[in-house]
Amino acid sequence: MQRAAIGTILPNPTNPRIIKDAKFKKLVQSITEFPEMLELRPIVVDKNYVVLGGNMRLKACIAAGLKEVPILVADNLSQEQQEEFMIKDNASFGEWDWDILANEWDANNLNDWGLDVPFLNESLQPIKGSDPEIEITEEILEEHNYIVFTFDNKLDWQVIKEIFAITTVCKPGFTDTYQQKGLGRVQSGKKLLDVLQLK
């Protein structure tokens, strides 16, 4: 790895990945506040200093006013390997475990770091522009009534998950390979009455 003047690095015009608006601003902010990240994940260039991996990071570094950046020169790749690297470097493999993220990570930090987290505002409505990725077992309709429970510790949450058999569910219409998963958090009120033995 080496460092190079930012003006000597050329953006790749065929790069298929882009970051727009708020997410790009967050990337610029992240680089400004945590420039050491670039040392851990340098911009990858070919022998002509054309970017193979890190096009958006380069753009964000320019916006952040950096004069030089860490680079890794991949000068031993064939054209086909370069193209394969560009796609694989931008591909998102795997999926997020939303339950762990919700219980183990700070949602505000995740949002600041650029992860799309399904947030709710004070009126328990999705924030405009958000696209919640946690599927539920029943659609929330206006004519239904709801009780929202919160738990101060993981043990109580685990107990409730067992009592109500809250498990992973998948959004209909997705393939086995690309399933949108979440927890079946919406339960029947009758089931609650049965548990409380108040029926």
Side-chain angles (χ1 to χ4, degrees), residues 33-128:
E33 296 176 352
F34 185 32
E36 295 83 2
M37 179 184 71
L38 294 170
E39 300 287 343
L40 301 173
R41 195 170 178 216
I43 295 170
V44 180
V45 299
D46 66 11
K47 63 183 179 181
N48 298 314
Y49 279 31
V50 176
V51 175
L52 298 177
N55 238 30
M56 292 301 100
R57 271 176 284 143
L58 173 62
K59 184 178 178 182
C61 287
I62 293 170
L66 300 186
K67 302 301 180 187
E68 61 176 23
V69 291
I71 64 168
L72 184 62
V73 182
D75 55 2
N76 58 344
L77 300 179
S78 67
Q79 182 64 33
E80 183 178 349
Q81 288 174 322
Q82 290 180 22
E83 293 171 358
E84 181 179 356
F85 175 80
M86 286 175 61
I87 295 300
K88 288 185 174 179
D89 183 61
N90 285 298
S92 297
F93 294 102
E95 59 190 56
W96 295 109
D97 185 321
W98 291 104
D99 193 30
I100 290 177
L101 285 173
N103 290 289
E104 305 288 342
W105 293 78
D106 184 280
N108 290 323
N109 284 343
L110 295 174
N111 183 51
D112 290 343
W113 297 337
L115 180 63
D116 288 327
V117 179
F119 285 106
L120 296 178
N121 60 22
E122 291 78 8
S123 61
L124 299 182
Q125 298 297 318
I127 291 177
K128 184 178 180 182

Side-chain angles (χ1 to χ4, degrees), residues 114 121 143 197:
N121 60 22
E143 61 267 24
Q197 298 180 348

Side-chain angles (χ1 to χ4, degrees), residues 10-21:
L10 305 173
N12 196 315
T14 63
N15 179 67
R17 189 83 164 183
I18 59 173
I19 301 177
K20 295 182 178 179
D21 306 327

